[in-house]
């Protein structure tokens, strides 16, 4: 038995979504056609609109509908002199949700990956260098992921910053707050030890 | 920080998909906009096409682009005199994949649920009754789900069939093949005992 071509095509198209395998794509397609047709039409419209309207911020490269995003347009943030480097727009969102950072961002939209042909220009480091030369940035905070590629990318950017004489820091990695030591992976626990801080008693 | 309206709307729209919560909708939206724009456009198109073209089979109510689906159009299947009643098009697909059934289907597109206002006509039982009166059906196989609603629906249909003098059977429920007794739920194990078959030794 072959499914109707339009259903087969919908199941295939749904599989571009992260974490959606053949079985859940089929479930999604049937649910939309059986009882979510209005929602499905809205989704088609939202996809078309977002793909058409959303581009990259000219200043920080994050996803935005404007030429310069809301955060880059914020003068107080620009005056802070702090620039946080992250891999993705989702990282910006995560950091903003902590409320702990009031500076600007630069979004790499990835990380260095020479084997995949992703070099410095592909992650906007040419643009970053221009920014460092023209703006009054006093500190760069490297918030790339604690993976091999993220660390290599952070190291590369630290070199650029040193050439410009700009102070650079790396966010701390260690045991998550509320996490149990027993369930923390080896690499994180290693970081937690090498990054240990002396306890100061008054 | 507010996300761009087009991204917010896309995240909201993605949540109509079954099993997609706020966090995964956000991940999906970012992934599409960061590196799946072509796939996203194809998904929008596939949704629009499927919603426009796919309707219900006039005979069995399953989802199809034609007025009569492929299975209902198959003369050999109609001549079999067997009619299997299922709740959804996905059930048809699952049964077809077993290769064990060569008859026709009737798809309820749900089950009786009086509390939700879903009565016999809403699941097509008026149409089913017409079919039973006009077609040469010799056996009805009830393959609704082994849930309270599925059982009630099966029972209701069995009554209709009896009035028309048509033999009716229910698919067997029990311990899944390859399943371990220890992990089978109580209700299934109950079914496995009440539906036990005598072992015939030669
Ligand atoms: Zn920006
Ligand atoms: Zn049909």
């Amino acid at each position: 038995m072959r499914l109707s071509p339009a259903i087969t095509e919908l199941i295939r198209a749904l599989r571009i979504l992260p974490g959606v395998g053949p079985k859940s794509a089929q479930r999604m397609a049937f649910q939309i056609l059986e009882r979510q047709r209005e929602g499905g039409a809205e989704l088609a419209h939202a996809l078309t609109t977002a793909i058409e309207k959303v581009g990259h911020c000219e200043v920080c490269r994050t996803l935005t509908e404007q030429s310069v995003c809301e955060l880059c347009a914020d003068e107080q943030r620009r005056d802070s002199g702090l620039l946080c480097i992250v891999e993705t727009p989702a990282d910006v969102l995560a950091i903003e949700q902590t409320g702990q950072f009031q500076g600007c961002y630069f979004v790499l939209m990835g990380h260095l990956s020479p084997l995949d042909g992703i070099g410095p220009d592909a992650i906007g480091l040419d643009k970053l260098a221009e920014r460092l030369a023209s703006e009054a940035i006093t500190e760069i905070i490297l918030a790339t992921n604690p993976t091999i590629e993220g660390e290599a990318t952070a190291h590369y950017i630290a070199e650029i910053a040193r050439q410009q004489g700009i102070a650079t820091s790396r966010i701390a990695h260690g045991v998550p707050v509320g996490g149990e030591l027993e369930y923390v992976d080896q690499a994180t626990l290693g970081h937690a030890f090498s990054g240990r801080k002396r306890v100061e008693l008054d």
Side-chain angles (χ1 to χ4, degrees), chain A:
Chain A
M1 180 215 180
R2 288 165 298 119
L3 274 172
S4 153
I7 303 179
T8 307
E9 179 53 28
L10 177 56
I11 293 172
R12 195 198 61 76
L14 282 162
R15 297 210 40 204
I16 63 139
L17 300 173
V20 175
K23 202 74 193 168
S24 53
Q26 185 192 302
R27 200 158 49 91
M28 287 173 172
F30 280 132
Q31 172 157 326
I32 290 167
L33 292 170
E34 284 169 32
R35 51 179 185 280
Q36 293 269 25
R37 283 171 181 246
E38 207 175 309
E42 282 174 25
L43 175 54
H45 183 254
L47 278 165
T48 307
T49 306
I51 289 168
E52 189 188 301
K53 289 197 181 167
V54 176
H56 294 277
C57 171
E58 282 171 14
V59 181
C60 76
R61 290 168 48 103
T62 199
L63 293 168
T64 176
E65 278 167 71
Q66 291 144 310
S67 52
V68 174
C69 80
E70 190 185 336
L71 295 175
C72 289
D74 181 333
E75 261 183 57
Q76 270 193 310
R77 284 182 181 261
R78 296 192 85 151
D79 290 347
S80 74
L82 299 174
L83 185 65
C84 178
I85 317 277
V86 293
E87 295 188 24
T88 70
D91 297 335
V92 174
L93 208 59
I95 295 170
E96 283 300 298
Q97 276 159 3
T98 69
Q100 296 293 306
F101 179 70
Q102 299 297 328
C104 282
Y105 293 92
F106 188 82
V107 184
L108 303 169
M109 302 298 295
H111 46 240
L112 288 177
S113 186
L115 291 179
D116 304 311
I118 302 174
D121 288 5
I123 59 169
L125 297 189
D126 46 348
K127 190 172 220 162
L128 177 65
E130 281 172 34
R131 244 182 111 170
L132 298 186
S134 63
E135 286 179 38
I137 291 164
T138 53
E139 183 184 348
I140 285 179
I141 298 162
L142 298 164
T144 52
N145 289 328
T147 56
I148 292 174
E149 295 87 356
E151 294 294 354
T153 307
H155 186 81
Y156 192 97
I157 296 170
E159 282 295 336
I160 298 176
R162 186 170 60 174
Q163 284 162 27
Q164 306 262 3
I166 299 168
T168 302
S169 60
R170 179 93 173 102
I171 53 166
H173 296 117
V175 178
V177 177
E180 285 180 65
L181 226 63
E182 189 182 345
Y183 300 110
V184 171
D185 66 284
Q186 240 176 355
T188 303
L189 208 50
H191 268 293
F193 272 84
S194 62
R196 68 190 179 279
K197 289 181 181 170
R198 190 166 293 278
V199 177
E200 305 283 1
L201 296 173
D202 309 299

